[in-house]
Amino acid sequence: MGFNQPARKIRRRQNRIQKVARIAPRPLGKLRPVVNCPTYKYNLKQRAGRGFTLEELKAAGLSKKYAQTIGISVDHRRRNKSVESLQLNAQRLKEYKSKLILFPLNSKKPRKGDSTAEELSKAVQLAGAVMPVKPVVKRARAMEVTDDLKKFQAFQTIRQARAFQRLHGIRAKKAADAEADELSKKK
């Protein structure tokens, strides 16, 4: 039985709080990419993914090792299938880099890329997800219902379009064969 479940919940929460205090002023989470959900049902939605691709890191001018040290999650298995998502995530990385306050390892000898003393004094720990993915809500504009809209048969139009797409190859082949027959008859 799971009688220790409530106690476990408390322990997990306390451990999270301890970790936040231990790693302060760093955020608890890592920066995650924006990915499109798979399948027909959810593919219009975007969510936070597992990690940035090596290509996205390269576009933002970061190495894999360095990215992992500054709180960016990396997933070497993910592939970029579209230029749009690549550019979006590269932009996300650049924005994160501009907001990032990097503490020097040795406060006496700050290295190139480390933040200045005044920026360090402004640093506060971030609560919640790092740069959360905001859902894009597209609202339909109100408009008058015209006769054309009333007559329009959506289902039939979609079926027609699918049929045209399905038969495209066969029809093209038939047309090519008919043209070849005409040329042979002319001779």
Side-chain angles (χ1 to χ4, degrees):
M1 302 304 289
F3 295 126
N4 66 343
Q5 188 257 338
R8 228 188 229 148
K9 181 180 177 179
I10 293 165
R11 192 184 330 138
R12 278 201 204 99
R13 184 157 191 271
Q14 286 169 344
N15 286 344
R16 273 199 303 274
I17 291 165
Q18 280 175 1
K19 187 178 180 184
V20 165
R22 192 174 66 242
I23 67 168
R26 286 176 291 189
L28 185 60
K30 290 179 180 293
L31 178 71
R32 308 247 173 225
V34 176
V35 296
N36 292 320
C37 297
T39 73
Y40 181 69
K41 186 176 179 183
Y42 299 107
N43 67 7
L44 44 97
K45 285 194 168 181
Q46 289 185 326
R47 61 173 175 84
R50 182 183 172 85
F52 290 91
T53 63
L54 303 176
E55 212 178 334
E56 287 163 354
L57 292 171
K58 196 175 180 183
L62 295 164
S63 72
K64 179 186 168 184
K65 284 261 176 72
Y66 179 65
Q68 286 170 324
T69 63
I70 59 169
I72 296 170
S73 57
V74 179
D75 184 7
H76 64 91
R77 292 164 299 209
R78 216 180 108 234
R79 298 187 312 279
N80 286 107
K81 293 186 177 178
S82 71
V83 179
E84 289 84 7
S85 70
L86 172 71
Q87 286 169 345
L88 175 72
N89 283 319
Q91 190 58 43
R92 195 169 155 80
L93 283 166
K94 284 173 188 164
E95 191 185 334
Y96 175 76
K97 239 168 62 173
S98 67
K99 288 180 179 179
L100 189 68
I101 298 173
L102 207 58
F103 279 67
L105 290 171
N106 185 352
S107 55
K108 292 179 179 68
K109 289 193 293 183
R111 294 213 301 256
K112 187 172 83 72
D114 291 342
S115 298
T116 59
E118 62 204 39
E119 283 178 331
L120 298 180
S121 61
K122 287 183 203 163
V124 287
Q125 192 170 22
L126 190 71
V130 182
M131 288 171 64
V133 178
K134 290 182 180 74
V136 180
V137 181
K138 288 180 181 170
R139 288 187 61 200
R141 301 256 311 272
M143 56 189 209
E144 209 170 307
V145 180
T146 60
D147 289 336
D148 290 341
L149 287 173
K150 283 178 185 172
K151 286 178 191 165
F152 183 70
Q153 294 174 310
F155 183 76
Q156 195 178 342
T157 310
I158 289 168
R159 296 300 297 181
Q160 194 93 33
R162 286 181 74 172
F164 282 149
Q165 190 182 5
R166 194 179 67 241
L167 300 169
H168 176 265
I170 297 167
R171 285 181 176 160
K173 190 174 184 295
K174 270 188 184 174
D177 288 347
E179 203 174 301
D181 285 347
E182 278 182 31
L183 286 171
S184 63
K185 280 181 186 174
K186 281 181 182 175
K187 287 180 183 177

